């Protein structure tokens, strides 16, 4: 098989796999079996397409091949207690195969299946780690190895998480359906949290040698765009989409050629992606157009929009950003939000104002091991000329982070503080 053919098949799989698995899950009522059937269809494609050529509708070909395999499996099962249920599924699959000869199922039906799969992958019976792994596997089409490399976790660990997640869903008899309306908001919050966890790990890698993992950002962005199309009336979906688009617009400017981090205030804004900025503003407008009060993601997107709309760091409306953080703190109070609010107030009204707020957070248990707290405190102390204290804070922050690039940056700032102290003697 030529490299071009293999890449083409891999591209088709990445685009179509979630839809195929969603359709099969509806039919066989087992997400693990659905993925196996889809993988079997992919193997068939890898065997046949290099000779026959890639079909005009590769997604339809894969779906039909997987349905035939599903039908074969159901016909082989002879367990008496499942006889009537499996007969019903066999008839449903056979009916769809008859339609496959003519035209595929309506896009709306496929969208419904895909939306159900989104909620299953992020079901609350699963741990957050399992939700992330299963979402990337089923909806992102990533291999176990790709997920493991993205999160710097051994491949067997990721494989185990995925297997356990499928078993947990099966044991809990999670139905392949959307949650009831009264549970939709709560379950949707879980879906959005998973997608944002994936994005954040790409935007600011929690560990390892790389400052960012852009492929994870791209995957999360692709998935949130899908969910936004499937749930166009949900303001927070558009809010998260806006937040991701605007943050992703900075990716090219966040790293130097040697991979070193470039912080927001030092970035070349000419390298920010204007298309993603426009998409972010459009998504934020869609969130506001739903007629609901802005939720946490939309408020964070509005903060990102303030940065995106400023020609330079000095032109940024920091007072507006601080006001938005005030609103976010009221809606979704947390120590991290307070820390970000302190930074905005420091930029708007001076480092002493920000430091007073940061000092009030130092004793909070939730922030004891959070490296950005001493990092922010060190920055504010340095701006106030208190370099000895700032050096200690930067060194503490460096000891807490698990990201090599970030540790190097923090230690460099600590050395700079020491150099200023030496120069002043």
């Amino acid at each position: 098989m030529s490299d071009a053919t293999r890449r083409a098949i891999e591209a088709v799989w990445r685009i179509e796999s979630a839809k195929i698995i969603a359709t099969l899950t509806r039919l066989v009522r087992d997400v693990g079996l659905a993925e196996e059937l889809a993988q079997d269809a992919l193997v068939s494609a890898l065997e046949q397409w290099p000779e026959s050529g890639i079909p005009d509708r590769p997604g339809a070909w894969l779906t039909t091949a997987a349905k035939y395999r599903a039908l074969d499996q159901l016909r082989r099962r002879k367990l008496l207690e499942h006889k009537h249920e499996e007969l019903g599924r066999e008839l449903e699959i056979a009916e769809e195969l008859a339609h496959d000869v003519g035209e595929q199922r309506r896009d709306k039906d496929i969208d419904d299946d895909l939306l159900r799969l989104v909620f299953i992958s992020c079901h609350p019976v699963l741990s957050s780690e399992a939700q992330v792994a299963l979402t990337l596997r089923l909806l992102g089409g990533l291999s176990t190895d790709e997920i493991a490399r993205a999160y710097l976790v051994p491949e067997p660990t990721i494989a185990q998480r995925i297997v356990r997640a499928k078993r947990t869903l099966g044991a809990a008899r999670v139905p392949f359906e959307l949650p009831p309306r009264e549970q939709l908001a709560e379950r949707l919050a879980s879906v959005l949290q998973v997608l944002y966890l994936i994005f954040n790990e790409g935007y600011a890698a929690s560990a390892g040698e790389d400052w960012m993992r852009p492929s994870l950002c791209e995957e999360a962005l692709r998935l949130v765009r899908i969910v936004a199309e499937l749930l166009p009336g949900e303001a927070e979906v558009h809010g998260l989409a806006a937040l991701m688009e605007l943050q992703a617009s900075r990716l090219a400017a966040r790293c130097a050629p040697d991979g070193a981090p470039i912080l927001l205030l030092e970035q070349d804004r000419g390298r920010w992606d204007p298309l993603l900025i426009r998409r972010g503003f459009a998504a934020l407008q869609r969130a506001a157009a739903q007629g609901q009060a802005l939720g946490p993601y939309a408020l964070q997107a509005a903060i990102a929009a303030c940065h995106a709309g400023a020609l330079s760091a000095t032109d940024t409306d920091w007072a507006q950003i601080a006001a938005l953080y005030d609103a976010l703190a009221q809606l979704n109070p947390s120590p991290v939000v307070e820390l970000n609010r302190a930074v905005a107030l420091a930029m708007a009204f001076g480092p002493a104002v920000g430091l007073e707020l940061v000092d009030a957070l130092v004793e909070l248990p939730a922030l004891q091991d959070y490296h950005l707290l001493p990092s922010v405190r060190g920055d504010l102390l340095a701006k106030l000329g208190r370099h000895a204290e700032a050096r200690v804070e930067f060194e503490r922050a460096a000891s807490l982070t698990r990201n090599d690039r970030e540790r190097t940056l923090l230690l460099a700032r600590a050395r700079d503080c020491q150099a200023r102290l030496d120069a002043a003697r």
Side-chain angles (χ1 to χ4, degrees):
M1 182 191 312
S2 69
D3 289 342
T5 300
R6 179 175 290 278
R7 285 196 299 270
I9 294 174
E10 288 174 352
V12 168
W13 177 252
R14 185 63 59 90
I15 294 168
E16 301 289 346
S17 60
K19 298 175 186 176
I20 298 166
I21 294 170
T23 297
L24 292 168
T25 303
R26 174 179 53 79
L27 293 172
V28 301
R29 304 294 194 271
D30 183 328
V31 70
L33 176 58
E35 189 192 5
E36 289 176 15
L37 294 168
Q39 290 283 347
D40 287 344
L42 175 61
V43 171
S44 296
L46 289 168
E47 293 171 348
Q48 297 180 38
W49 290 1
E51 296 296 328
S52 63
I54 296 176
D56 293 336
R57 297 162 63 194
W61 189 101
L62 288 166
T63 301
T64 301
K67 286 179 183 177
Y68 273 117
R69 290 182 178 274
L71 189 58
D72 289 342
Q73 280 221 7
L74 289 173
R75 283 173 174 168
R76 286 197 298 268
R77 291 184 183 179
K78 302 298 183 183
L79 296 177
L80 182 62
E81 60 269 29
H82 295 308
K83 183 176 180 181
H84 296 295
E85 181 184 0
E86 292 192 355
L87 178 60
R89 292 181 193 170
E90 181 178 330
L91 291 172
E92 186 178 354
I93 296 172
E95 181 180 349
E96 286 205 7
L97 284 171
H99 287 304
D100 286 344
V101 175
E103 58 181 285
Q104 290 296 298
R105 297 174 66 230
R106 292 178 297 115
D107 288 343
K108 181 64 172 67
D109 295 331
I110 295 173
D111 286 351
D112 288 346
D113 287 344
L114 193 55
L115 188 57
R116 293 184 188 104
L117 185 62
V118 168
F119 278 91
I120 282 182
S121 300
C122 303
H123 198 281
V125 299
L126 303 176
S127 67
S128 60
E129 292 87 355
Q131 289 174 345
V132 166
L134 197 60
T135 298
L136 288 173
R137 176 69 172 173
L138 298 183
L139 294 162
L142 274 65
S143 68
T144 305
D145 176 60
E146 286 174 318
I147 301 170
R149 282 190 281 111
Y151 281 88
L152 302 180
V153 174
E155 185 176 355
T157 301
I158 293 296
Q160 204 170 48
R161 285 179 189 172
I162 293 171
V163 169
R164 285 177 179 169
K166 294 173 186 175
R167 287 176 181 166
T168 300
L169 292 173
R173 296 185 178 276
V174 173
F176 188 64
E177 60 188 27
L178 291 177
R181 180 167 293 278
E182 63 272 14
Q183 297 178 16
L184 182 61
E186 179 184 352
R187 289 281 304 280
L188 180 59
S190 177
V191 169
L192 299 184
Q193 181 184 37
V194 169
L195 296 182
Y196 198 36
L197 281 172
I198 295 170
F199 182 88
N200 275 338
E201 184 58 31
Y203 191 76
S206 60
E209 298 179 357
D210 296 321
W211 171 237
M212 301 183 301
R213 300 190 186 110
S215 62
L216 279 180
C217 293
E218 292 165 7
E219 200 56 47
L221 195 50
R222 185 180 72 83
L223 292 174
V224 81
R225 287 169 181 165
I226 291 173
V227 177
E229 291 301 316
L230 297 175
L231 293 171
E234 294 292 334
E236 268 294 78
V237 177
H238 297 301
L240 180 57
L243 177 57
M244 287 189 188
E245 300 278 8
L246 291 168
Q247 288 185 319
S249 72
R250 307 176 200 154
L251 287 175
R254 295 189 77 234
C255 272
D258 63 356
I262 302 177
L263 301 180
L264 177 64
L265 300 184
E266 300 164 2
Q267 289 171 17
D268 176 2
R269 299 188 177 212
R271 299 190 66 201
W272 289 5
D273 189 321
L275 174 60
L276 292 179
I277 291 174
R278 288 196 297 272
R279 291 184 67 115
F281 275 105
L284 188 55
Q285 288 177 347
R286 284 194 291 273
Q290 303 308 313
Q292 307 164 22
L294 294 183
Y297 293 119
L299 283 172
Q300 291 177 76
I303 292 168
C306 288
H307 291 297
L311 295 177
S312 67
T314 54
D315 292 331
T316 305
D317 189 345
W318 288 103
Q320 174 64 16
I321 291 175
L324 287 167
Y325 272 119
D326 283 340
L328 183 60
Q330 293 177 26
L331 184 64
N332 192 27
S334 79
V336 173
V337 170
E338 286 300 313
L339 181 61
N340 288 326
R341 187 170 76 92
V343 172
L345 288 169
M347 294 299 297
F349 305 111
V353 175
L355 183 61
E356 183 179 354
L357 292 177
V358 171
D359 284 346
L361 302 174
V362 169
E363 299 302 324
L364 292 180
L367 296 181
Q368 287 305 297
D369 296 322
Y370 188 53
H371 71 282
L372 290 182
L373 175 61
S375 174
V376 168
R377 192 165 188 273
D379 182 69
L380 297 176
L381 287 166
K383 288 176 178 176
L384 290 168
R386 296 161 60 178
H387 298 295
E389 296 169 85
R391 184 201 67 211
V392 172
E393 292 297 320
F394 286 132
E395 288 174 345
R396 172 168 166 73
S399 72
L400 291 174
T401 185
R402 294 186 297 130
N403 184 279
D404 295 345
R405 292 287 186 179
E406 193 166 28
R407 184 180 302 109
T408 299
L409 174 66
L410 290 165
L411 291 175
R413 297 205 67 184
R415 287 194 299 273
D416 180 66
C417 288
Q418 184 60 53
R420 291 175 183 272
L421 287 170
D422 294 341
R425 287 174 184 157

